[in-house]
Amino acid sequence: MANAKIIEEKKQLVSEIVENFKNSTSVVFFDYRGLTVSETTELRRKLKNANCSFKIYKNTMVKRAADELKYSLDEYLTGPNAITFSPDALEPVKILSEFAKKHNNLELKVGIIDGELSKRDVLDKLATIPSRDTLLTMLAAGLIGKVKDLAICLDLYGKQIEEKN
């Protein structure tokens, strides 16, 4: 029988993983086999700069946490896995996808984005979405064009009224 201290440590670890899942908007699982130490350090740095955490847990502990949260991850919890937890839904997906383009050894497996299980093809699509700042800039540019057109119309209408008077 397992030592009571070890059992308690495992329960605490599962609780930590559950909390990380609950406190994150996105959770991405990926295979990091074949990355060198310097490449892994570079990836950790990029993720940390984007306010994402990079964790490696035993698959059995992650499975217990996922089961507790009613996520079916059994088919993805094979081999070595690393996990990113982030309050941003898209940033870790973009960072990992960009890193995977340069480093063939990194492979995205699955993600949980806003509580929904997202398979590899969905993650690839999410990685192509522009950043929030870019989307806001695009929206502002579109709105400025409409406001400009409205201003021209009002100016022409005002001139037309003046000519009648």
Side-chain angles (χ1 to χ4, degrees):
M1 187 165 151
N3 185 335
K5 182 180 177 187
I6 294 173
I7 292 173
E8 186 57 36
E9 288 174 0
K10 288 183 178 184
K11 284 181 182 178
Q12 288 176 353
L13 182 60
V14 170
S15 296
E16 174 189 323
I17 298 169
V18 168
E19 284 304 308
N20 284 336
F21 271 90
K22 287 180 179 178
N23 296 332
S24 300
T25 304
S26 72
V27 178
V28 181
F29 292 81
F30 60 97
D31 186 348
Y32 63 96
R33 276 184 290 193
L35 292 179
T36 64
V37 173
S38 62
E39 291 170 340
T40 305
T41 303
E42 178 187 350
L43 179 59
R44 281 183 189 273
R45 190 176 305 117
K46 286 182 179 186
L47 289 167
K48 186 176 180 181
N49 290 340
N51 198 25
C52 306
S53 63
F54 177 116
K55 299 284 187 177
I56 298 172
Y57 296 112
K58 285 188 167 191
N59 288 337
T60 54
M61 298 295 114
V62 175
K63 181 184 179 337
R64 287 180 184 170
D67 289 346
E68 191 173 316
L69 294 168
K70 308 289 190 263
Y71 290 120
S72 178
L73 298 174
D74 293 352
E75 64 184 280
Y76 306 105
L77 296 176
T78 56
N81 288 305
I83 309 171
T84 60
F85 298 98
S86 175
D88 188 303
L90 298 178
E91 196 62 30
V93 177
K94 289 180 180 207
I95 292 170
L96 290 169
S97 292
E98 192 63 35
F99 199 82
K101 288 178 186 175
K102 296 175 186 169
H103 304 88
N104 294 333
N105 293 329
L106 186 120
E107 179 188 346
L108 294 175
K109 288 186 169 184
V110 69
I112 300 172
I113 311 296
D114 289 327
E116 296 293 321
L117 195 66
S118 302
K119 294 187 179 182
R120 173 75 192 263
D121 57 333
V122 175
L123 293 177
D124 290 340
K125 289 177 186 175
L126 290 174
T128 62
I129 295 174
S131 69
R132 184 176 193 276
D133 291 341
T134 304
L135 289 173
L136 289 173
T137 302
M138 292 167 66
L139 176 65
L143 291 175
I144 286 173
K146 300 299 179 194
V147 170
K148 177 184 166 194
D149 292 344
L150 177 63
I152 291 169
C153 289
L154 290 175
D155 183 52
L156 291 174
Y157 181 71
K159 288 178 182 176
Q160 186 181 22
I161 290 177
E162 285 178 8
E163 288 177 5
K164 287 183 181 179
N165 290 337

CSV table of all heavy atoms in Angstrom, one decimal, residues 54-109:
chain,number,residue,atom,x,y,z
A,54,PHE,N,4.2,27.2,-18.5
A,54,PHE,CA,4.6,26.0,-19.2
A,54,PHE,C,4.9,25.0,-18.1
A,54,PHE,O,5.7,25.1,-17.3
A,54,PHE,CB,5.9,26.3,-20.0
A,54,PHE,CG,6.6,25.2,-20.7
A,54,PHE,CD1,6.7,25.2,-22.0
A,54,PHE,CD2,7.2,24.1,-20.0
A,54,PHE,CE1,7.4,24.2,-22.7
A,54,PHE,CE2,7.8,23.1,-20.7
A,54,PHE,CZ,7.9,23.2,-22.1
A,55,LYS,N,4.1,23.9,-18.1
A,55,LYS,CA,4.2,22.9,-17.1
A,55,LYS,C,4.3,21.5,-17.7
A,55,LYS,O,3.8,21.2,-18.8
A,55,LYS,CB,3.0,22.9,-16.2
A,55,LYS,CG,2.7,24.2,-15.5
A,55,LYS,CD,3.7,24.3,-14.3
A,55,LYS,CE,3.3,25.5,-13.5
A,55,LYS,NZ,4.2,25.6,-12.3
A,56,ILE,N,5.0,20.6,-17.0
A,56,ILE,CA,5.1,19.2,-17.4
A,56,ILE,C,4.7,18.4,-16.2
A,56,ILE,O,5.3,18.5,-15.1
A,56,ILE,CB,6.5,18.8,-17.8
A,56,ILE,CG1,7.0,19.6,-19.0
A,56,ILE,CG2,6.6,17.3,-18.1
A,56,ILE,CD1,8.4,19.5,-19.4
A,57,TYR,N,3.6,17.6,-16.3
A,57,TYR,CA,3.1,16.8,-15.3
A,57,TYR,C,3.0,15.3,-15.8
A,57,TYR,O,3.0,15.1,-17.0
A,57,TYR,CB,1.6,17.2,-14.9
A,57,TYR,CG,1.4,18.5,-14.4
A,57,TYR,CD1,0.8,19.5,-15.1
A,57,TYR,CD2,1.9,18.9,-13.1
A,57,TYR,CE1,0.6,20.8,-14.5
A,57,TYR,CE2,1.7,20.1,-12.5
A,57,TYR,CZ,1.0,21.1,-13.3
A,57,TYR,OH,0.8,22.3,-12.7
A,58,LYS,N,2.9,14.4,-14.9
A,58,LYS,CA,2.7,13.0,-15.2
A,58,LYS,C,1.3,12.9,-15.8
A,58,LYS,O,0.4,13.5,-15.4
A,58,LYS,CB,2.8,12.1,-14.0
A,58,LYS,CG,4.2,11.9,-13.5
A,58,LYS,CD,4.2,10.8,-12.4
A,58,LYS,CE,5.7,10.4,-12.2
A,58,LYS,NZ,5.7,9.2,-11.4
A,59,ASN,N,1.2,12.1,-16.9
A,59,ASN,CA,0.0,11.9,-17.6
A,59,ASN,C,-1.1,11.4,-16.7
A,59,ASN,O,-2.3,11.8,-16.8
A,59,ASN,CB,0.1,11.0,-18.8
A,59,ASN,CG,0.9,11.7,-19.9
A,59,ASN,OD1,0.9,12.9,-20.0
A,59,ASN,ND2,1.5,10.9,-20.8
A,60,THR,N,-0.8,10.5,-15.7
A,60,THR,CA,-1.8,10.0,-14.8
A,60,THR,C,-2.4,11.1,-13.9
A,60,THR,O,-3.6,11.1,-13.6
A,60,THR,CB,-1.2,8.9,-13.9
A,60,THR,OG1,0.0,9.4,-13.2
A,60,THR,CG2,-0.8,7.7,-14.7
A,61,MET,N,-1.6,12.0,-13.5
A,61,MET,CA,-2.1,13.1,-12.7
A,61,MET,C,-3.0,14.1,-13.5
A,61,MET,O,-4.0,14.5,-13.1
A,61,MET,CB,-0.9,14.0,-12.1
A,61,MET,CG,0.0,13.2,-11.2
A,61,MET,SD,-0.8,12.6,-9.7
A,61,MET,CE,-0.8,10.9,-9.9
A,62,VAL,N,-2.6,14.3,-14.8
A,62,VAL,CA,-3.4,15.2,-15.6
A,62,VAL,C,-4.7,14.4,-15.9
A,62,VAL,O,-5.8,15.1,-16.0
A,62,VAL,CB,-2.6,15.5,-16.9
A,62,VAL,CG1,-3.5,16.3,-17.9
A,62,VAL,CG2,-1.4,16.3,-16.6
A,63,LYS,N,-4.7,13.1,-16.1
A,63,LYS,CA,-5.9,12.4,-16.4
A,63,LYS,C,-6.9,12.5,-15.3
A,63,LYS,O,-8.1,12.7,-15.4
A,63,LYS,CB,-5.5,10.9,-16.7
A,63,LYS,CG,-6.8,10.1,-17.0
A,63,LYS,CD,-6.4,8.6,-17.2
A,63,LYS,CE,-7.6,7.7,-17.5
A,63,LYS,NZ,-8.9,8.1,-17.1
A,64,ARG,N,-6.3,12.3,-14.0
A,64,ARG,CA,-7.2,12.4,-12.9
A,64,ARG,C,-7.9,13.8,-12.8
A,64,ARG,O,-9.0,14.0,-12.5
A,64,ARG,CB,-6.4,12.2,-11.6
A,64,ARG,CG,-6.1,10.7,-11.4
A,64,ARG,CD,-5.3,10.4,-10.2
A,64,ARG,NE,-4.9,9.0,-10.1
A,64,ARG,CZ,-4.1,8.5,-9.2
A,64,ARG,NH1,-3.6,9.3,-8.3
A,64,ARG,NH2,-3.8,7.3,-9.3
A,65,ALA,N,-7.1,14.9,-13.0
A,65,ALA,CA,-7.6,16.2,-13.0
A,65,ALA,C,-8.6,16.4,-14.1
A,65,ALA,O,-9.7,17.0,-13.9
A,65,ALA,CB,-6.5,17.2,-13.2
A,66,ALA,N,-8.3,15.9,-15.3
A,66,ALA,CA,-9.3,16.0,-16.5
A,66,ALA,C,-10.6,15.3,-16.2
A,66,ALA,O,-11.7,15.8,-16.5
A,66,ALA,CB,-8.6,15.5,-17.7
A,67,ASP,N,-10.4,14.1,-15.6
A,67,ASP,CA,-11.6,13.3,-15.3
A,67,ASP,C,-12.5,14.1,-14.2
A,67,ASP,O,-13.7,14.1,-14.3
A,67,ASP,CB,-11.3,11.9,-14.7
A,67,ASP,CG,-10.7,11.0,-15.8
A,67,ASP,OD1,-10.8,11.3,-17.0
A,67,ASP,OD2,-10.1,10.0,-15.4
A,68,GLU,N,-11.8,14.7,-13.3
A,68,GLU,CA,-12.6,15.5,-12.3
A,68,GLU,C,-13.3,16.6,-12.9
A,68,GLU,O,-14.4,17.0,-12.5
A,68,GLU,CB,-11.6,16.0,-11.3
A,68,GLU,CG,-12.2,16.6,-10.0
A,68,GLU,CD,-11.2,17.0,-9.0
A,68,GLU,OE1,-10.3,16.2,-8.7
A,68,GLU,OE2,-11.3,18.1,-8.4
A,69,LEU,N,-12.8,17.2,-14.0
A,69,LEU,CA,-13.4,18.3,-14.7
A,69,LEU,C,-14.3,17.9,-15.9
A,69,LEU,O,-14.8,18.7,-16.6
A,69,LEU,CB,-12.3,19.3,-15.2
A,69,LEU,CG,-11.6,20.0,-14.1
A,69,LEU,CD1,-10.4,20.7,-14.6
A,69,LEU,CD2,-12.5,21.0,-13.3
A,70,LYS,N,-14.4,16.6,-16.1
A,70,LYS,CA,-15.2,16.0,-17.1
A,70,LYS,C,-14.7,16.2,-18.5
A,70,LYS,O,-15.5,16.5,-19.5
A,70,LYS,CB,-16.7,16.5,-17.0
A,70,LYS,CG,-17.3,16.3,-15.7
A,70,LYS,CD,-17.6,14.9,-15.4
A,70,LYS,CE,-18.5,14.8,-14.1
A,70,LYS,NZ,-17.8,14.5,-12.9
A,71,TYR,N,-13.4,16.3,-18.7
A,71,TYR,CA,-12.8,16.4,-20.0
A,71,TYR,C,-12.2,15.0,-20.4
A,71,TYR,O,-11.6,14.3,-19.6
A,71,TYR,CB,-11.6,17.4,-20.0
A,71,TYR,CG,-12.0,18.8,-19.9
A,71,TYR,CD1,-11.5,19.5,-18.8
A,71,TYR,CD2,-12.8,19.4,-20.8
A,71,TYR,CE1,-11.9,20.9,-18.6
A,71,TYR,CE2,-13.1,20.7,-20.7
A,71,TYR,CZ,-12.7,21.5,-19.6
A,71,TYR,OH,-13.0,22.8,-19.4
A,72,SER,N,-12.5,14.6,-21.6
A,72,SER,CA,-12.0,13.3,-22.1
A,72,SER,C,-10.7,13.5,-22.9
A,72,SER,O,-10.7,13.8,-24.1
A,72,SER,CB,-13.1,12.7,-23.0
A,72,SER,OG,-12.6,11.5,-23.5
A,73,LEU,N,-9.6,13.3,-22.2
A,73,LEU,CA,-8.3,13.5,-22.8
A,73,LEU,C,-7.4,12.3,-22.9
A,73,LEU,O,-6.3,12.3,-23.3
A,73,LEU,CB,-7.5,14.6,-22.0
A,73,LEU,CG,-8.1,16.0,-21.8
A,73,LEU,CD1,-7.3,16.8,-20.8
A,73,LEU,CD2,-8.2,16.6,-23.2
A,74,ASP,N,-8.0,11.1,-22.7
A,74,ASP,CA,-7.3,9.9,-22.6
A,74,ASP,C,-6.4,9.6,-23.9
A,74,ASP,O,-5.3,9.2,-23.8
A,74,ASP,CB,-8.2,8.7,-22.4
A,74,ASP,CG,-8.9,8.7,-21.0
A,74,ASP,OD1,-8.5,9.6,-20.2
A,74,ASP,OD2,-9.8,7.9,-20.8
A,75,GLU,N,-7.0,9.9,-25.1
A,75,GLU,CA,-6.3,9.6,-26.3
A,75,GLU,C,-5.1,10.5,-26.5
A,75,GLU,O,-4.2,10.2,-27.3
A,75,GLU,CB,-7.2,9.7,-27.5
A,75,GLU,CG,-7.8,11.0,-27.8
A,75,GLU,CD,-8.8,11.0,-28.9
A,75,GLU,OE1,-8.3,11.0,-30.1
A,75,GLU,OE2,-10.0,11.0,-28.6
A,76,TYR,N,-5.1,11.7,-25.8
A,76,TYR,CA,-4.0,12.7,-26.0
A,76,TYR,C,-2.9,12.5,-24.9
A,76,TYR,O,-1.8,13.1,-25.0
A,76,TYR,CB,-4.5,14.1,-26.0
A,76,TYR,CG,-5.6,14.3,-27.0
A,76,TYR,CD1,-7.0,14.3,-26.6
A,76,TYR,CD2,-5.3,14.4,-28.4
A,76,TYR,CE1,-8.0,14.5,-27.5
A,76,TYR,CE2,-6.3,14.5,-29.3
A,76,TYR,CZ,-7.7,14.6,-28.9
A,76,TYR,OH,-8.6,14.7,-29.8
A,77,LEU,N,-3.2,11.8,-23.9
A,77,LEU,CA,-2.2,11.7,-22.8
A,77,LEU,C,-1.4,10.4,-22.9
A,77,LEU,O,-1.3,9.6,-22.1
A,77,LEU,CB,-3.0,11.6,-21.4
A,77,LEU,CG,-3.8,12.9,-21.1
A,77,LEU,CD1,-4.6,12.7,-19.8
A,77,LEU,CD2,-2.8,14.1,-21.0
A,78,THR,N,-0.7,10.4,-24.1
A,78,THR,CA,0.3,9.3,-24.3
A,78,THR,C,1.6,10.0,-24.6
A,78,THR,O,1.7,11.0,-25.3
A,78,THR,CB,-0.1,8.5,-25.5
A,78,THR,OG1,-0.3,9.3,-26.6
A,78,THR,CG2,-1.4,7.7,-25.2
A,79,GLY,N,2.7,9.4,-24.1
A,79,GLY,CA,4.0,9.9,-24.3
A,79,GLY,C,4.2,11.2,-23.5
A,79,GLY,O,3.3,11.7,-22.8
A,80,PRO,N,5.4,11.8,-23.7
A,80,PRO,CA,5.6,13.0,-22.9
A,80,PRO,C,4.8,14.2,-23.4
A,80,PRO,O,4.6,14.4,-24.6
A,80,PRO,CB,7.1,13.3,-23.2
A,80,PRO,CG,7.6,12.2,-24.0
A,80,PRO,CD,6.5,11.4,-24.4
A,81,ASN,N,4.2,14.9,-22.5
A,81,ASN,CA,3.4,16.1,-22.8
A,81,ASN,C,3.8,17.3,-22.0
A,81,ASN,O,4.2,17.1,-20.8
A,81,ASN,CB,1.9,15.8,-22.5
A,81,ASN,CG,1.2,14.8,-23.4
A,81,ASN,OD1,1.2,15.0,-24.6
A,81,ASN,ND2,0.7,13.8,-22.9
A,82,ALA,N,3.7,18.4,-22.6
A,82,ALA,CA,3.8,19.7,-21.9
A,82,ALA,C,2.5,20.4,-22.0
A,82,ALA,O,1.8,20.1,-23.0
A,82,ALA,CB,5.0,20.5,-22.4
A,83,ILE,N,2.2,21.3,-21.1
A,83,ILE,CA,1.0,22.0,-21.1
A,83,ILE,C,1.2,23.4,-20.9
A,83,ILE,O,2.1,23.8,-20.0
A,83,ILE,CB,0.0,21.5,-19.9
A,83,ILE,CG1,-0.1,19.9,-20.0
A,83,ILE,CG2,-1.3,22.1,-20.0
A,83,ILE,CD1,-0.8,19.3,-18.7
A,84,THR,N,0.5,24.3,-21.6
A,84,THR,CA,0.5,25.7,-21.3
A,84,THR,C,-0.8,26.1,-20.7
A,84,THR,O,-1.9,25.6,-21.2
A,84,THR,CB,0.8,26.6,-22.6
A,84,THR,OG1,-0.2,26.3,-23.5
A,84,THR,CG2,2.1,26.2,-23.2
A,85,PHE,N,-0.8,27.0,-19.8
A,85,PHE,CA,-2.0,27.5,-19.2
A,85,PHE,C,-1.9,29.0,-19.4
A,85,PHE,O,-0.9,29.6,-19.1
A,85,PHE,CB,-2.1,27.2,-17.7
A,85,PHE,CG,-2.1,25.8,-17.3
A,85,PHE,CD1,-1.0,25.1,-16.9
A,85,PHE,CD2,-3.3,25.1,-17.3
A,85,PHE,CE1,-1.0,23.7,-16.6
A,85,PHE,CE2,-3.4,23.7,-17.0
A,85,PHE,CZ,-2.3,23.1,-16.7
A,86,SER,N,-3.0,29.6,-19.8
A,86,SER,CA,-3.0,31.0,-20.1
A,86,SER,C,-4.4,31.7,-19.9
A,86,SER,O,-5.4,31.1,-20.2
A,86,SER,CB,-2.6,31.3,-21.6
A,86,SER,OG,-2.6,32.6,-21.9
A,87,PRO,N,-4.3,32.9,-19.4
A,87,PRO,CA,-5.6,33.7,-19.3
A,87,PRO,C,-6.1,34.2,-20.7
A,87,PRO,O,-7.2,34.6,-20.9
A,87,PRO,CB,-5.2,34.9,-18.4
A,87,PRO,CG,-3.8,35.0,-18.5
A,87,PRO,CD,-3.2,33.7,-18.8
A,88,ASP,N,-5.2,34.2,-21.7
A,88,ASP,CA,-5.5,34.6,-23.0
A,88,ASP,C,-5.9,33.4,-23.9
A,88,ASP,O,-5.2,32.4,-23.8
A,88,ASP,CB,-4.3,35.3,-23.7
A,88,ASP,CG,-4.7,36.0,-25.0
A,88,ASP,OD1,-5.1,35.2,-25.9
A,88,ASP,OD2,-4.5,37.2,-25.1
A,89,ALA,N,-6.9,33.5,-24.6
A,89,ALA,CA,-7.4,32.3,-25.4
A,89,ALA,C,-6.5,32.0,-26.6
A,89,ALA,O,-6.3,30.8,-26.9
A,89,ALA,CB,-8.8,32.6,-25.9
A,90,LEU,N,-6.0,33.0,-27.2
A,90,LEU,CA,-5.2,32.7,-28.5
A,90,LEU,C,-3.7,32.8,-28.4
A,90,LEU,O,-3.0,32.1,-29.2
A,90,LEU,CB,-5.7,33.6,-29.6
A,90,LEU,CG,-7.2,33.5,-29.9
A,90,LEU,CD1,-7.5,34.6,-31.0
A,90,LEU,CD2,-7.5,32.2,-30.4
A,91,GLU,N,-3.2,33.5,-27.5
A,91,GLU,CA,-1.8,33.8,-27.5
A,91,GLU,C,-0.9,32.6,-27.4
A,91,GLU,O,0.1,32.4,-28.1
A,91,GLU,CB,-1.4,34.8,-26.3
A,91,GLU,CG,-0.1,35.4,-26.4
A,91,GLU,CD,0.1,36.2,-27.7
A,91,GLU,OE1,-0.9,36.8,-28.2
A,91,GLU,OE2,1.3,36.3,-28.2
A,92,PRO,N,-1.2,31.6,-26.5
A,92,PRO,CA,-0.3,30.4,-26.4
A,92,PRO,C,-0.4,29.6,-27.7
A,92,PRO,O,0.6,29.0,-28.2
A,92,PRO,CB,-0.8,29.6,-25.2
A,92,PRO,CG,-2.2,30.1,-25.0
A,92,PRO,CD,-2.2,31.5,-25.4
A,93,VAL,N,-1.6,29.5,-28.3
A,93,VAL,CA,-1.8,28.8,-29.6
A,93,VAL,C,-0.9,29.4,-30.7
A,93,VAL,O,-0.2,28.7,-31.4
A,93,VAL,CB,-3.2,28.7,-30.0
A,93,VAL,CG1,-3.4,28.0,-31.3
A,93,VAL,CG2,-4.1,28.1,-28.9
A,94,LYS,N,-0.9,30.7,-30.7
A,94,LYS,CA,-0.1,31.4,-31.7
A,94,LYS,C,1.4,31.2,-31.5
A,94,LYS,O,2.2,30.9,-32.4
A,94,LYS,CB,-0.4,32.9,-31.7
A,94,LYS,CG,-1.8,33.2,-32.3
A,94,LYS,CD,-2.0,34.7,-32.2
A,94,LYS,CE,-3.4,35.0,-32.8
A,94,LYS,NZ,-3.5,36.3,-33.3
A,95,ILE,N,1.8,31.3,-30.3
A,95,ILE,CA,3.3,31.1,-29.9
A,95,ILE,C,3.7,29.7,-30.3
A,95,ILE,O,4.7,29.5,-30.9
A,95,ILE,CB,3.5,31.5,-28.5
A,95,ILE,CG1,3.3,33.0,-28.2
A,95,ILE,CG2,4.9,31.0,-28.0
A,95,ILE,CD1,3.3,33.4,-26.8
A,96,LEU,N,2.9,28.7,-29.8
A,96,LEU,CA,3.3,27.3,-30.1
A,96,LEU,C,3.3,27.0,-31.6
A,96,LEU,O,4.1,26.3,-32.1
A,96,LEU,CB,2.4,26.4,-29.3
A,96,LEU,CG,2.6,26.4,-27.8
A,96,LEU,CD1,1.4,25.7,-27.1
A,96,LEU,CD2,3.9,25.8,-27.4
A,97,SER,N,2.3,27.5,-32.3
A,97,SER,CA,2.2,27.2,-33.7
A,97,SER,C,3.4,27.9,-34.5
A,97,SER,O,4.0,27.2,-35.4
A,97,SER,CB,0.9,27.8,-34.3
A,97,SER,OG,-0.2,27.1,-33.8
A,98,GLU,N,3.7,29.1,-34.1
A,98,GLU,CA,4.9,29.8,-34.7
A,98,GLU,C,6.2,29.0,-34.4
A,98,GLU,O,7.0,28.8,-35.3
A,98,GLU,CB,4.9,31.2,-34.2
A,98,GLU,CG,5.9,32.1,-35.0
A,98,GLU,CD,5.5,32.3,-36.5
A,98,GLU,OE1,4.3,32.3,-36.8
A,98,GLU,OE2,6.4,32.3,-37.3
A,99,PHE,N,6.3,28.6,-33.2
A,99,PHE,CA,7.5,27.9,-32.7
A,99,PHE,C,7.6,26.5,-33.5
A,99,PHE,O,8.7,26.1,-33.9
A,99,PHE,CB,7.5,27.7,-31.2
A,99,PHE,CG,8.8,27.3,-30.6
A,99,PHE,CD1,9.7,28.4,-30.3
A,99,PHE,CD2,9.2,26.0,-30.4
A,99,PHE,CE1,11.0,28.1,-29.8
A,99,PHE,CE2,10.4,25.7,-29.8
A,99,PHE,CZ,11.3,26.8,-29.5
A,100,ALA,N,6.4,25.9,-33.7
A,100,ALA,CA,6.4,24.6,-34.3
A,100,ALA,C,6.8,24.7,-35.8
A,100,ALA,O,7.3,23.7,-36.4
A,100,ALA,CB,5.0,23.9,-34.2
A,101,LYS,N,6.5,25.8,-36.4
A,101,LYS,CA,7.0,26.0,-37.8
A,101,LYS,C,8.5,26.0,-37.9
A,101,LYS,O,9.0,25.5,-38.9
A,101,LYS,CB,6.4,27.3,-38.3
A,101,LYS,CG,4.9,27.3,-38.6
A,101,LYS,CD,4.4,28.7,-39.1
A,101,LYS,CE,2.9,28.7,-39.2
A,101,LYS,NZ,2.4,30.1,-39.5
A,102,LYS,N,9.2,26.5,-36.9
A,102,LYS,CA,10.6,26.6,-37.0
A,102,LYS,C,11.3,25.4,-36.4
A,102,LYS,O,12.4,25.1,-36.7
A,102,LYS,CB,11.1,27.8,-36.2
A,102,LYS,CG,10.6,29.1,-36.8
A,102,LYS,CD,11.0,30.3,-35.9
A,102,LYS,CE,10.4,31.6,-36.5
A,102,LYS,NZ,10.6,32.7,-35.5
A,103,HIS,N,10.5,24.6,-35.5
A,103,HIS,CA,11.1,23.5,-34.9
A,103,HIS,C,10.1,22.3,-35.1
A,103,HIS,O,9.1,22.2,-34.4
A,103,HIS,CB,11.2,23.7,-33.4
A,103,HIS,CG,12.1,24.9,-33.1
A,103,HIS,ND1,11.6,26.2,-33.0
A,103,HIS,CD2,13.4,25.0,-32.9
A,103,HIS,CE1,12.6,27.0,-32.7
A,103,HIS,NE2,13.7,26.4,-32.6
A,104,ASN,N,10.5,21.4,-36.0
A,104,ASN,CA,9.6,20.3,-36.4
A,104,ASN,C,9.3,19.3,-35.3
A,104,ASN,O,8.3,18.6,-35.4
A,104,ASN,CB,10.2,19.6,-37.6
A,104,ASN,CG,10.3,20.5,-38.8
A,104,ASN,OD1,9.5,21.4,-39.0
A,104,ASN,ND2,11.2,20.2,-39.7
A,105,ASN,N,10.1,19.4,-34.2
A,105,ASN,CA,9.9,18.4,-33.2
A,105,ASN,C,8.7,18.7,-32.3
A,105,ASN,O,8.2,17.9,-31.6
A,105,ASN,CB,11.2,18.3,-32.3
A,105,ASN,CG,12.3,17.7,-33.1
A,105,ASN,OD1,12.1,16.9,-33.9
A,105,ASN,ND2,13.6,18.1,-32.8
A,106,LEU,N,8.3,20.0,-32.3
A,106,LEU,CA,7.2,20.4,-31.4
A,106,LEU,C,5.9,20.1,-32.2
A,106,LEU,O,5.7,20.4,-33.3
A,106,LEU,CB,7.3,21.9,-31.1
A,106,LEU,CG,6.2,22.3,-30.1
A,106,LEU,CD1,6.8,22.9,-28.9
A,106,LEU,CD2,5.3,23.4,-30.8
A,107,GLU,N,5.0,19.4,-31.5
A,107,GLU,CA,3.7,19.0,-32.1
A,107,GLU,C,2.5,19.4,-31.2
A,107,GLU,O,2.5,18.8,-30.1
A,107,GLU,CB,3.7,17.5,-32.4
A,107,GLU,CG,2.4,17.1,-33.1
A,107,GLU,CD,2.4,15.5,-33.2
A,107,GLU,OE1,3.4,14.9,-33.0
A,107,GLU,OE2,1.3,15.0,-33.4
A,108,LEU,N,1.6,20.2,-31.7
A,108,LEU,CA,0.4,20.5,-30.9
A,108,LEU,C,-0.5,19.3,-30.9
A,108,LEU,O,-0.6,18.6,-31.9
A,108,LEU,CB,-0.3,21.7,-31.5
A,108,LEU,CG,0.4,23.0,-31.4
A,108,LEU,CD1,-0.4,24.1,-32.2
A,108,LEU,CD2,0.6,23.4,-30.0
A,109,LYS,N,-1.1,19.0,-29.8
A,109,LYS,CA,-2.0,17.8,-29.7
A,109,LYS,C,-3.4,18.2,-29.6
A,109,LYS,O,-4.2,17.9,-30.5
A,109,LYS,CB,-1.6,16.9,-28.5
A,109,LYS,CG,-0.3,16.2,-28.7
A,109,LYS,CD,-0.1,15.2,-27.5
A,109,LYS,CE,1.0,14.3,-27.8
A,109,LYS,NZ,1.1,13.3,-26.7
